[in-house]
Amino acid sequence: MKPKHLLFFLFLLISTGQVLAQTPVLVKQNALIKTNLIGTAIGNKLLFLNNQKNSTNRFSSPSEVWTSDGTESGTTFIKDIQGGPKENPVLIKSLSLSYNDILYTYQNKSYFVAESYFSDGYGGISSYVFSSLIQTDGTTTGTRGLVSGIISPLRIGSDLYFVVPKPIGSNYSLIMDVNKKVVLDGTISSDIQAFPSDPDKITRLGSNWLLFATSKQTGTEALYVSNGLASGTKIISNTSGSNFMATGSGKSAFFFKGTELWITDGTSGGTKIIKNIAPGGVPVTDYPKNPRPLQDGILFTANDGVSGNELWISDGT
């Protein structure tokens, strides 16, 4: 073996040995983690949820906010968002389809939904009380409830919004930003019978909002465009759809209607079908889904009924 190769080999061996010699270090004693580690990074710290002080109720979930920088002194309990008696559990609800994405982070703050229940006295749950959207920056004073209701996150580009019922149980919802500013009210148009609560049916192109809502005139779903004013809210297509995905350029948005791929630029003339991916039909579970934005197009998965589920791309033509 040549000398320079031998030296390199010894260097790798020593380096690997140093890595293998490292052992896990206990960060903090008596900080019992009673749930799966559900956390997200905020700056150089991990913000995570825990239920160390919760009751032994078998339905209990993390209601405590903690942060850690990897040191004992830097691992601290921030706040318990449990409201009322300890025997009445608070359940942390996912803000997305994946339970692992319970915490939604945006601009160095995290958001999650806490649902409160009454206990049945036997370690179970008897009735649902309410749910709240919690905002935290990893400090006690910065952990607070924003709004109550069935909240759904809506991320458009680099912006984060929330779709919230108004009031709970009504057909009208509103879209608010992280500062609780209402950017679009479901009562904006007298023609809208039911404002969408599903964020997949809402997107934004520039200053205009696009949404699939139920029309009072027809009783069916239609595609609306709105600039936030009643005079600027109208139907641009009598089609239904879901899985809105705006392109990176913000010039157009794609959506699916069954097995069909559509595109819209926010105008009637610019709303059209691009392609029926599976004209022969496929099970609902194989409909086009998982759209991901490109600068002027999208990637998505679909089954054309011949080749199975595959990765597709479209530039809108």
Side-chain angles (χ1 to χ4, degrees), residues 132-180:
S132 298
L133 176 65
I134 309 296
Q135 178 193 72
T136 179
D137 61 3
T139 66
T140 302
T141 55
T143 302
R144 60 194 180 103
L146 289 183
V147 67
S148 296
I150 304 173
I151 301 103
S152 299
L154 172 62
R155 186 179 285 278
I156 301 175
S158 60
D159 297 324
L160 179 63
Y161 303 93
F162 297 97
V163 182
V164 185
K166 175 199 176 184
I168 296 177
S170 76
N171 288 329
Y172 298 100
S173 301
L174 54 84
I175 303 172
M176 71 175 196
D177 62 16
V178 294
N179 297 312
K180 296 179 64 175

Side-chain angles (χ1 to χ4, degrees), residues 51 55-61 89 91 120 122-125:
N51 68 345
S55 69
T56 58
N57 188 298
R58 62 190 176 93
F59 283 98
S60 66
S61 68
L91 302 183
D120 61 6
Y122 299 96
I125 295 173

